[in-house]
Amino acid sequence: MTPSLRALQAFEAAARTGSFVAAADELSVTPAAVSQLVRSLERQLGRKLFVRVHRGVVPSEAGHEILPRLGAVFAELNLVAFQLGGTTLPSRLTV
C-alpha cells in the first residue's frame, strides 16, 4: 500500500521541526493528528521513523534515510505549485 501524502507531510514536518506540535501548527492540524499520521506511516513501512524524546522527536536511522529525499520532493512540489500559480489567468478580463 502506498503511504498517504498527508502522512509523508506529517513525518517530514515533524522531523524537520523536531516536534509534533510545531508540525501540527505548520500543517494546520492537531498534534494528535500528526502523531496518528506518523504511527500509520510507521505501521505501513514496518519501521520506526522517530525516537521519541522528552518534549520532542528525533528521526530514527530509518527516518534519517528518507528525510532528505522527502525534503527534496516537497521542495519540488512547492516549486511546481508556485510556478503553476504564477501562470494562472487573471480572474477579471478588461477589454
Side-chain angles (χ1 to χ4, degrees), residues 5-62:
L5 182 59
R6 199 69 172 149
L8 293 170
Q9 286 175 311
F11 163 74
E12 191 275 337
R16 186 172 26 80
T17 63
S19 163
F20 284 180
V21 172
D25 286 342
E26 186 176 305
L27 299 172
S28 300
V29 298
T30 66
V34 171
S35 179
Q36 184 178 15
L37 286 163
V38 168
R39 266 195 317 265
S40 171
L41 182 60
E42 288 175 329
R43 275 194 308 271
Q44 283 182 315
L45 299 177
R47 301 174 83 179
K48 289 290 183 191
L49 298 175
F50 286 109
V51 175
R52 275 81 171 168
V53 295
H54 182 69
R55 296 194 177 255
V57 290
V58 176
S60 67
E61 185 177 329

Side-chain angles (χ1 to χ4, degrees), residues 74-89:
F74 287 124
E76 183 66 19
L77 284 172
N78 286 334
L79 179 60
V80 168
F82 176 76
Q83 289 173 339
L84 287 174
T87 61
T88 60
L89 296 174

Side-chain angles (χ1 to χ4, degrees), residues 57-70:
V57 290
V58 176
S60 67
E61 185 177 329
H64 277 292
E65 288 176 19
I66 64 172
L67 183 58
R69 294 176 72 188
L70 276 179

